[in-house]
Amino acid sequence: MKNLPYAWLGVLTIAIAFLFYQNSGSSSTGLGASTADGKRIVFVNSDSLLTNYQFYKDAQKEFENKGYRLQVDLGQKEQSLQAELQAIQQRASAMTQAELQAADMTLKKKGAELQQYSQQKQAELGQEQAKKNEELYNNIRDYISKTNKANKYEFVLGYSKVGGGILFADPSVDVTQKIIEGLNKEYAATKGDKKEDK
């Protein structure tokens, strides 16, 4: 759970660093775009995008809640198994050898089932996170691709202060805020559509 922001940051940086090449013969730099050999280039700050994209914030909160509920569920099951073990230990002196062996086998089986349940639930949560990561990537890629029809940038690069391939980015070609506003507007509209469907 604690590595979630870093995993998303990696996915996000890859998504934004994806090159959007358009057939544009124009060498004009409008909208704050910079040029390199006539290419229109802008960047998006991946850190800011994650911090301000409501889809990401909602997804992160959702996974924190699911992770917490899973921990509580597993904790309760473990406590129940522990209570069962203590009850057997208290009755152990009055039990026959065969009863003790049967109780031991039952506890071992329940312990193995609990471990398997834990692994299964964590795997399901991991798969859900992977799907959400893919959705995040697709949202960003699709939005940039769609809005780029008007902007005609040839490169939209992802920049992160924590690492990544871009060592310096001129603030004059930072389109992060425009991208965040557009993504949040689209996300708010889709959230509204989902509420109406219910």
Side-chain angles (χ1 to χ4, degrees):
M1 290 295 126
K2 293 186 188 216
N3 291 333
L4 181 63
Y6 297 110
W8 284 56
L9 183 60
V11 168
L12 186 60
T13 301
I14 291 168
I16 295 171
F18 185 76
L19 302 177
F20 293 98
Y21 182 78
Q22 300 289 322
N23 292 329
S24 166
S26 167
S27 61
S28 110
T29 62
L31 299 169
S34 184
T35 63
D37 294 330
K39 305 291 185 193
R40 293 166 42 85
I41 302 168
V42 292
F43 79 91
V44 175
N45 185 312
S46 306
D47 306 317
S48 295
L49 189 53
L50 277 184
T51 305
N52 296 294
Y53 185 19
Q54 194 61 47
F55 172 88
Y56 169 77
K57 291 195 275 190
D58 289 350
Q60 186 178 30
K61 189 173 183 179
E62 177 188 339
F63 282 109
E64 284 172 2
N65 290 338
K66 285 182 177 185
Y68 174 75
R69 286 195 305 268
L70 178 58
Q71 285 179 339
V72 168
D73 180 37
L74 293 173
Q76 289 172 341
K77 289 182 185 312
E78 200 173 302
Q79 283 178 347
S80 173
L81 195 58
Q82 192 66 35
E84 215 174 310
L85 172 63
Q86 288 173 348
I88 290 169
Q89 287 173 340
Q90 289 172 353
R91 296 190 328 256
S93 59
M95 295 171 78
T96 67
Q97 189 65 30
E99 288 172 330
L100 281 171
Q101 286 178 339
D104 183 54
M105 293 270 291
T106 300
L107 284 175
K108 283 181 180 171
K109 183 180 176 197
K110 286 183 178 180
E113 286 170 353
L114 177 58
Q115 188 175 5
Q116 186 177 6
Y117 174 80
S118 171
Q119 289 171 347
Q120 177 190 346
K121 291 297 178 187
Q122 288 177 19
E124 286 171 7
L125 194 59
Q127 288 171 347
E128 240 182 287
Q129 278 183 287
K131 280 176 109 172
K132 221 32 141 172
N133 286 345
E134 186 178 349
E135 192 177 346
L136 172 72
Y137 172 87
N138 289 338
N139 288 352
I140 293 166
R141 186 195 63 220
D142 293 348
Y143 179 77
I144 291 175
S145 184
K146 182 171 51 181
T147 59
N148 200 40
K149 287 176 183 167
N151 297 322
K152 302 213 182 304
Y153 300 132
E154 294 178 81
F155 298 97
V156 179
L157 307 174
Y159 172 73
S160 171
K161 290 178 185 170
V162 227
I166 300 174
L167 302 177
F168 171 77
D170 184 337
S172 68
V173 293
D174 183 355
V175 295
T176 308
Q177 196 54 43
K178 280 199 302 189
I179 298 294
I180 289 169
E181 287 168 6
L183 281 167
N184 282 334
K185 188 175 178 182
E186 273 196 1
Y187 178 61
T190 61
K191 275 178 72 173
D193 289 347
K194 287 178 185 173
K195 284 180 184 172
E196 290 172 16
D197 290 344
K198 288 182 181 178

